[in-house]
Amino acid sequence: MSRLAIQARLNEIEAYFQALSIHKNMPLHRKLDPRLFSPDNETLAQCLAQALTTLQIVQQACETEQDQALTAFYAEKLTAQYHVLQELTSDNRTFYQTKASGKEAERNQQAHEVHRLPPPQRLAKYYEFLTRFNDLIAEQYTQLLACEISEKSARQQKIATLEQRKQRCQAAIDHLEEYLAFVEARQKKSAVF
C-alpha cells in the first residue's frame, strides 16, 4: 500500500472516530479483548481515547518511518480496535437515521440484522449484496441501451447511484476481511504461545 493510500485510510479512521464521539457516554455492556482495550473501560469514550492513541502512534510511525514490525503491530491493533468500535455502535445506528416508513423501514431493519451477525456470516451477506448490485447495474446498462434519449440521463443517474452503493459494499467487505485476517493471525499467535 502506498504512503498516500495509508494516510488516506488513517484519515478515514480518524474521521470515523470523531463521528463516534456523539456516543461517548454509551456504557459498555460486554467485556472487550484486553489486548485491545483496558478492562477498566466502562464507556465508549474510554475505548475511543485508547483507539485515538493507537491512531496517533501509527500516524507518527508512518511519518518517521520507524521500525516496520512495530508499525505493523500498531496498525493491526488499530484495525482491530476500529472493528470493535464499529460492532459496539452498530446497534445504535438508528440514532443516525430518520424514521422511515413502509418498505424503507423494513429494509433498514434487515440491514441492522446483518450488522448483528457474526463477522464470517456478515461477510457472506455482504458478498450476496455485492452480487445483487452487480446484477442491478448490468440490468440498468441493458435498459440504458434500449431506452429513449430522453430517459438516458435518469438511467445514468441510477447506474451512478448503484455504483456508489456497490463501492460502499466493497469497502465493507475489505474492512471485514482485514478484521477476520487480523483475528485469525492473533489466534495463530496465541496457539503458538
Side-chain angles (χ1 to χ4, degrees), residues 11 61 96 107 142 144:
N11 290 342
Y96 291 54
R107 225 182 354 233
T142 303
L144 178 67

Side-chain angles (χ1 to χ4, degrees), residues 47 54 62 78 82 138 157 165:
C47 293
T54 307
C62 287
L78 178 63
Y82 172 82
Q157 183 61 39
R165 292 178 70 193

Side-chain angles (χ1 to χ4, degrees), residues 56-126:
Q56 290 171 348
I57 291 169
V58 172
Q59 286 173 327
Q60 187 176 27
C62 287
E63 289 171 7
T64 59
E65 297 182 8
Q66 291 179 352
D67 179 20
Q68 288 186 347
L70 188 62
T71 303
F73 168 78
Y74 280 109
E76 286 180 6
K77 182 176 180 178
L78 178 63
T79 301
Q81 287 175 326
Y82 172 82
H83 287 289
V84 168
L85 289 171
Q86 272 187 323
E87 287 179 19
L88 285 173
T89 57
S90 67
D91 292 337
N92 293 329
R93 290 200 193 274
T94 53
F95 190 85
Y96 291 54
Q97 297 176 342
T98 59
K99 291 184 179 180
S101 61
K103 289 183 180 180
E104 187 175 339
E106 187 177 317
R107 225 182 354 233
N108 287 340
Q109 180 62 31
Q110 289 173 348
H112 291 303
E113 290 170 5
V114 168
H115 294 296
R116 292 186 189 116
L117 291 173
Q121 289 152 341
R122 191 176 338 143
L123 184 62
K125 279 287 187 191
Y126 287 169

